[in-house]
Amino acid sequence: MEQSPLAPQMSGNVLFYKNPEPITPEHHGKLGVKQVAHPYAFVAGSHIIPVTVTEFAPAGLSYPVIFVGEDVKTPLAVMGLRTGDNLYIDANGDFRTDAYVPAFVRRYPFVYANDTESDRMILCVDRSADFVGEDYETPFFVDGKPSDYTNQAMQFCNDFETERQRTTSFMALLAELDLLDRREANFTPRNPDGSAGQPQKIADYWAVSEEKLAKLSPEKLTELRDNGALGQIYAHMNSLMGWDRLIAIAMDRAQRAPAANA
């Protein structure tokens, strides 16, 4: 089967992170972060971003939330129609002000890594981040101890890991109930004369089937409602209407490009 253009490109690495290092006072005691004009510029080259299950509702107001993968499926917010082209980051590297910023983005430059020897999670920082360096405004450490900023980052990453595990359980539930179907996102461009052009496939992905959901027993639907899963399912399903919004943004950008280059 042909690989979807939306398949995540994260093999062996974590998206965004080029040089993650376990953060220690010995190696990072003289480092910190500084304010930069465009803190989300690093997202511009990523058209899909992982989201957790509790983000389906807010993310779904801005993006289609889809599932990608075979044995293990990952929830993704779709921010572009082509690999490496994020339609929600402008030419200056700024997020659209009306768009939701996923936690996966907000935790950067920090991330947890597994220490297999000690069987624990270690907080790491991407040393290659543009806003990390010795000319900092906010230090990582104060008197050899984590600063308030670093402690807050650690708590955020702790919370993110909790949500990630919750998301894994949610995806396992969808698989157990066999609620997912393969879908295609398609786009029909317009010819110069206004007629419909040749349809183009944008993506292959997985989504909850409304038909399969409707076939669940009343008892199971009540259970899903009570544990909160049903609300997340509907948030995902409603988000799929965002494909039209995404296409409209892409068309608007394409129309503006010739004018900008004129």
Side-chain angles (χ1 to χ4, degrees):
M1 180 176 294
E2 182 181 356
Q3 186 180 31
S4 165
L6 292 178
Q9 306 295 316
M10 295 185 286
S11 302
N13 296 291
V14 180
L15 185 66
F16 303 145
Y17 298 82
K18 298 178 181 178
N19 187 24
E21 302 174 348
I23 187 168
T24 65
E26 292 79 15
H27 295 96
H28 304 87
K30 296 182 179 180
L31 301 179
V33 294
K34 60 182 177 181
Q35 294 290 329
V36 294
H38 311 290
Y40 294 125
F42 66 91
V43 189
S46 302
H47 66 300
I48 50 174
I49 304 294
V51 289
T52 62
V53 63
T54 53
E55 295 182 282
F56 286 7
L61 297 176
S62 300
Y63 324 104
V65 175
I66 66 171
F67 309 127
V68 169
E70 292 301 326
D71 295 335
V72 178
K73 295 174 175 58
T74 301
L76 301 171
V78 184
M79 300 184 182
L81 304 180
R82 298 182 302 174
T83 299
D85 184 16
N86 191 317
L87 295 172
Y88 285 80
I89 305 294
D90 65 21
N92 294 323
D94 294 323
F95 243 107
R96 286 174 60 112
T97 56
D98 60 344
Y100 174 77
V101 181
F104 192 96
V105 173
R106 286 181 278 124
R107 72 173 177 170
Y108 187 80
F110 296 98
V111 65
Y112 268 129
N114 283 314
D115 183 348
T116 54
E117 293 185 2
S118 60
D119 191 27
R120 64 189 181 97
M121 303 292 284
I122 296 178
L123 185 68
C124 298
V125 64
D126 188 358
R127 185 64 181 82
S128 297
D130 291 341
F131 42 86
V132 171
E134 295 186 1
D135 55 337
Y136 60 80
E137 297 171 13
T138 304
F140 289 147
F141 294 92
V142 175
D143 296 329
K145 297 181 179 180
S147 65
D148 289 343
Y149 172 79
T150 301
N151 283 327
Q152 291 169 7
M154 188 178 301
Q155 183 59 54
F156 189 93
C157 288
N158 279 332
D159 294 342
F160 183 87
E161 285 301 311
T162 298
E163 293 302 325
R164 187 182 62 81
Q165 294 170 16
R166 185 173 294 154
T167 303
T168 299
S169 298
F170 175 82
M171 297 308 300
L173 177 62
L174 296 186
E176 176 187 341
L177 297 176
D178 188 28
L179 290 180
L180 299 179
D181 273 346
R182 282 194 177 275
R183 298 278 185 89
E184 287 185 3
N186 296 289
F187 166 55
T188 302
R190 290 289 174 183
N191 294 319
D193 61 1
S195 62
Q198 186 69 24
Q200 300 175 9
K201 182 168 70 172
I202 300 171
D204 292 306
Y205 63 97
W206 296 89
V208 171
S209 164
E210 187 173 357
E211 181 180 354
K212 289 182 177 181
L213 185 64
K215 290 181 179 180
L216 294 179
S217 69
E219 293 77 16
K220 178 56 68 173
L221 287 170
T222 299
E223 179 185 333
L224 294 177
R225 180 199 67 191
D226 292 345
N227 65 21
L230 190 59
Q232 308 296 1
I233 288 172
Y234 281 130
H236 148 69
M237 294 172 68
N238 290 335
S239 80
L240 299 180
M241 292 186 289
W243 282 114
D244 290 339
R245 182 192 310 114
L246 200 61
I247 291 169
I249 294 173
M251 292 179 65
D252 180 67
R253 178 175 289 191
Q255 290 172 356
R256 291 174 182 270
N261 296 329

